[in-house]
């Protein structure tokens, strides 16, 4: 019997997980034995008032293999229960691209996983498929509208709505559609993005209700007309059908961790090209169902955490009570180009960035098997020099027990400062280019920003259309504070280059692209797909 079967046999039926949250059978819809969808009526139920504290989990600049941020998040949720606190995890759904590509699954590992991990890493409850279908329905309606006369006078050369697929497939980055047709849209150049980069994914993650989802989909701008006016999904009459495809996907998914701690796993926007955290609906439910909500944000503090404070918090209204910064010896050594101490500049930068928001901070030192006691002690000493509490985390091998010290220190930090005054990086009244500049200087450590002429022209157009007060979502590499993935540490004396911008009107932000960002990744030469299989008993192995 393999490890997957052993873990499955230890899982609790989903009705027992629901009972832990005081949910009645009418308040959720079981999907199989170990999963459920929570009904949105819960948000209006007076039996579930807001009572919980939200904890944001972020990290220092990661390596390509990741630093175990998901493991620490799950471990912390389990650790909080070990010390007598009622907790819940909110995390993103994995994308099939990384599962079959380089990074692998995103359900945690060892004794800190969300379960059933194989199902969650693959098709789960079908949310990604629904989002992909809704995205491509709009794309199909655009080309159909062009074919049948283009009554909206949409400019075919400036259509910005691509197609989507939840798989790494570089061959689809640039495609030609309507080959051989006549009239508007014939031989039109477009492409595919991975589903996690779809605006529909971002919209689903930021929607606070079905009515809000409708408004956001209505607002999607697919491109300008020949007169330079925005054309929307509402103009194309696509909203109702897209909502029908998303009707189940909007409901947060209830599952459990390895130790039976409740978990809401919902939506999966990427952390470098989108805002990188689970759904607002999951957060809103979490703070009603538990004392502490552990919420993971994508990649490092310059990406996921910044976007939480400047984008997500403004939409949800939920201010974090604390932030956990995950650090590993391998990440610091990578940022120090082989030297641990040289990597401390990266740690110091992220500490400074998070402190600027005004939220209590605790560092989680995630222990890897290759770490030496000397390395771990040096990191702890560095945290002490910055006046930041830290805890060694061994959640992968010890589960909740391995994160109990972290749980104690997070609860203590919240108790010392129970009502922090959160300070976003910029005001919504700031001009779009000023918002980009403030993030570059305060969060990335740049001296300034250079915005290409084409990108600046688009910013001016978006402001003229009435979108100048939206927050900005900067798409850049996760492997460096700069826009160069090979530049390590905490560089100074550099300039952020913005070569393109795009409007995500439905999601409610403007995307600024820095560096060579791929919205459709490619598979590596030896993808993880080559090691995934199914045994004769039907058990999936290798994920």
């Amino acid at each position: 019997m393999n490890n997957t079967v052993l873990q499955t046999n230890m899982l609790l039926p989903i009705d027992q997980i629901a009972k832990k949250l005081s949910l009645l059978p009418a308040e959720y819809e079981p999907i199989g034995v170990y999963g459920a969808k929570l009904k949105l009526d819960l948000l209006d139920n007076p039996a579930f008032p807001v009572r919980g504290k939200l904890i944001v989990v972020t990290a220092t600049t990661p390596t390509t293999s990741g630093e175990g941020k998901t493991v620490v998040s799950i471990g912390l949720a389990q650790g909080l229960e070990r010390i007598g606190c009622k907790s819940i995890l909110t995390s993103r759904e994995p994308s099939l691209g990384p599962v079959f590509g380089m990074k692998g699954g995103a359900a945690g590992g060892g004794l800190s996983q969300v379960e059933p991990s194989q199902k969650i890493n693959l098709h789960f409850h079908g949310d990604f498929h629904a989002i992909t279908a809704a995205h491509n329905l709009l794309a199909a309606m655009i080309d159909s509208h062009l074919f049948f006369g283009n009554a909206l006078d949409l400019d075919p050369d400036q259509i910005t709505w691509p197609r989507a697929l939840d798989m790494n497939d570089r061959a689809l980055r640039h495609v030609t559609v309507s080959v051989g047709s006549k009239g508007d849209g014939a031989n039109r150049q477009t492409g595919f993005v991975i589903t996690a980069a779809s605006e529909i994914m971002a919209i689903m993650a930021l929607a606070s209700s079905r009515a809000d989802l409708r408004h956001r989909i209505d607002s999607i701008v697919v491109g300008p007309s020949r007169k330079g006016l925005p054309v929307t999904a509402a103009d194309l009459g696509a909203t109702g059908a897209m909502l029908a495809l998303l009707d189940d996907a909007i409901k947060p998914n209830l599952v459990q961790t390895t130790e039976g701690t409740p978990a809401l796993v919902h939506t999966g926007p990427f952390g470098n090209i989108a805002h990188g955290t689970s759904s607002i609906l999951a957060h809103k439910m979490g703070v009603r169902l538990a004392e502490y909500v552990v919420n993971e944000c994508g990649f490092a503090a310059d990406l996921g955490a910044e976007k939480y404070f400047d984008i997500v918090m403004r939409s949800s209204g939920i201010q974090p009570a604390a932030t956990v910064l995950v650090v590993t010896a391998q990440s610091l050594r990578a940022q120090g180009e082989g030297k641990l101490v040289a990597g401390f500049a990266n740690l110091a930068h992220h500490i400074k960035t998070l402190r600027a928001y005004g939220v209590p901070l605790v560092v989680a030192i995630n222990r890897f098997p290759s770490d030496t006691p000397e390395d771990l002690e040096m990191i702890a000493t560095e945290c002490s020099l910055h006046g930041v509490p830290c805890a060694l985390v061994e959640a992968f091998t010890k589960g909740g027990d391995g994160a109990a010290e972290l749980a104690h220190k997070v609860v203590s930090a919240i108790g010392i400062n129970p009502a922090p005054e959160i300070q976003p990086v910029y005001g919504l009244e700031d001009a779009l280019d000023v918002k980009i500049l403030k993030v570059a200087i305060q969060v990335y450590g740049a001296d300034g920003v250079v915005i290409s002429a084409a990108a600046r022209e688009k910013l001016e157009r978006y402001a003229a259309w009435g979108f100048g007060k939206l927050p900005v979502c900067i798409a850049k590499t996760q492997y460096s504070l700069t826009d160069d993935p090979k530049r390590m540490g905490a560089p100074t004396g550099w300039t952020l280059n913005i070569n393109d911008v795009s409007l995500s009107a439905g999601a409610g932000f403007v995307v600024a692209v820095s560096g060579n960002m791929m919205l459709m990744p490619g598979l590596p030469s030896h993808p993880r797909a080559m090691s995934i299989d199914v045994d004769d008993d039907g058990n999936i192995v290798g994920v």
Side-chain angles (χ1 to χ4, degrees):
M1 184 179 294
N2 65 31
N3 190 50
T4 301
V5 177
L6 284 171
Q7 288 176 349
T8 301
N9 289 342
M10 295 168 62
L11 298 183
L12 297 173
I14 199 62
D15 62 328
Q16 294 188 36
I17 301 299
K19 285 180 181 178
K20 286 188 175 185
L21 300 173
S22 302
L23 292 169
L24 299 174
E27 291 161 341
Y28 63 94
E29 301 169 356
I31 300 179
V33 180
Y34 304 115
K37 286 279 188 180
L38 297 189
K39 297 182 179 180
L40 302 192
D41 297 346
L42 185 153
L43 295 174
D44 299 317
N45 189 335
F48 299 103
V50 175
R51 62 192 179 99
K53 302 283 190 180
L54 187 135
I55 302 160
V56 165
V57 180
T58 185
T60 54
T61 304
T63 61
T64 55
S65 60
E67 308 316 307
K69 183 155 45 66
T70 303
V71 169
V72 172
S73 299
I74 298 167
L76 175 56
Q78 295 178 154
L80 285 162
E81 294 221 320
R82 290 296 178 99
I83 67 171
C85 302
K86 192 172 184 178
S87 71
I88 193 167
L89 173 80
T90 54
S91 67
R92 290 174 293 167
E93 299 180 50
S95 166
L96 290 180
V99 169
F100 292 108
M102 180 181 296
K103 194 171 183 180
L111 296 181
S112 287
Q113 298 190 56
V114 282
E115 300 286 2
S117 59
Q118 304 286 26
K119 182 173 183 177
I120 293 169
N121 273 318
L122 298 176
H123 303 290
F124 198 21
H125 294 160
D127 295 351
F128 267 59
H129 301 304
I131 289 168
T132 303
H135 182 114
N136 289 333
L137 172 61
L138 180 55
M141 292 183 72
I142 290 169
D143 284 303
S144 179
H145 182 84
L146 295 175
F147 180 82
F148 287 106
N150 193 11
L152 295 171
D153 200 26
L154 183 61
D155 186 343
D157 295 330
Q158 295 194 66
I159 293 172
T160 55
W161 193 257
R163 282 167 166 77
L165 178 72
D166 190 36
M167 192 62 64
N168 289 359
D169 194 345
R170 62 172 54 83
L172 296 179
R173 289 172 184 165
H174 305 285
V175 300
T176 304
V177 297
S178 298
V179 176
S181 296
K182 296 180 180 179
D184 281 347
N187 303 303
R188 186 170 70 83
Q189 302 300 305
T190 183
F192 280 73
V193 298
I194 195 166
T195 300
S198 163
E199 186 181 347
I200 302 298
M201 181 65 77
I203 286 171
M204 287 287 287
L206 292 169
S208 58
S209 64
R210 281 197 174 85
D212 187 37
L213 179 62
R214 179 184 294 276
H215 169 73
R216 289 174 180 274
I217 292 177
D218 269 344
S219 302
I220 293 170
V221 173
V222 302
S225 69
R226 288 190 173 96
K227 293 182 179 179
L229 300 176
V231 177
T232 66
D235 294 331
L236 290 161
T239 303
M242 293 171 71
L243 285 171
L245 287 169
L246 299 170
D247 189 55
D248 280 330
I250 193 176
K251 304 169 190 172
N253 303 292
L254 176 65
V255 287
Q256 63 190 290
T257 73
T258 312
E259 297 180 359
T261 301
L264 295 178
V265 181
H266 194 218
T267 71
F270 275 171
N272 51 358
I273 51 185
H275 63 279
T277 191
S278 54
S279 72
I280 280 178
L281 286 169
H283 304 168
K284 285 180 173 289
M285 290 182 178
V287 295
R288 287 166 167 79
L289 296 172
E291 296 174 274
Y292 295 98
V293 180
V294 180
N295 179 58
E296 179 191 356
C297 293
F299 296 122
D302 56 315
L303 291 169
E306 182 273 318
K307 292 170 184 178
Y308 183 89
F309 288 110
D310 287 314
I311 298 175
V312 182
M313 185 180 74
R314 282 176 158 135
S315 291
S316 71
I318 301 174
Q319 294 198 355
T323 299
V324 172
L325 179 66
V326 178
V327 60
T328 65
Q330 74 169 10
S331 69
L332 295 182
R333 188 166 278 111
Q335 289 300 307
E337 299 183 277
K339 297 179 181 179
L340 180 65
V341 173
F344 286 164
N346 187 267
L347 171 61
H349 184 95
H350 287 294
I351 289 173
K352 178 183 177 183
T353 296
L354 292 170
R355 277 179 162 166
Y357 294 113
V359 66
L361 173 64
V362 179
V363 171
I365 306 172
N366 189 26
R367 184 171 195 168
F368 277 54
S370 60
D371 292 343
T372 66
E374 293 77 15
D375 284 350
L376 299 173
E377 183 61 32
M378 288 174 66
I379 298 171
T381 300
E382 184 67 14
C383 292
S384 179
L385 292 173
H386 287 281
V388 180
C390 69
L392 184 66
V393 177
E394 298 179 273
F396 187 93
T397 55
K398 298 180 181 179
D401 282 345
E405 181 187 1
L406 175 64
H408 276 297
K409 291 193 174 181
V410 169
V411 171
S412 176
I414 293 173
I416 293 171
N417 185 7
E421 294 185 9
I422 308 297
Q423 300 292 329
V425 173
Y426 52 79
L428 294 180
E429 297 296 326
D430 291 338
L432 292 171
D433 59 347
V434 173
K435 293 169 186 170
I436 295 169
L437 177 65
K438 287 185 176 182
V439 173
I441 293 174
Q442 182 172 321
V443 180
Y444 305 160
D447 283 354
V449 174
V450 173
I451 300 176
S452 71
R456 189 168 292 280
E457 182 180 348
K458 288 183 180 180
L459 290 176
E460 292 171 356
R461 180 192 304 167
Y462 301 155
W465 285 350
F467 298 113
K469 294 182 180 180
L470 293 183
V472 294
C473 179
I474 300 180
K476 78 169 187 70
T477 179
Q478 64 268 34
Y479 300 124
S480 171
L481 288 168
T482 75
D483 51 14
D484 178 358
K486 296 181 180 180
R487 198 163 182 185
M488 303 290 100
T492 58
W494 64 279
T495 301
L496 182 74
N497 296 290
I498 301 297
N499 48 51
D500 195 13
V501 295
S502 62
L503 175 64
S504 293
F509 53 70
V510 172
V511 179
V513 181
S514 180
N516 185 24
M517 292 304 303
M518 291 293 180
L519 301 185
M520 170 55 78
L523 292 172
S525 58
H526 289 83
R528 288 183 177 265
M530 296 172 70
S531 62
I532 295 173
D533 207 339
V534 181
D535 66 22
D536 291 342
D537 295 323
N539 299 306
I540 298 170
V541 294
V543 176

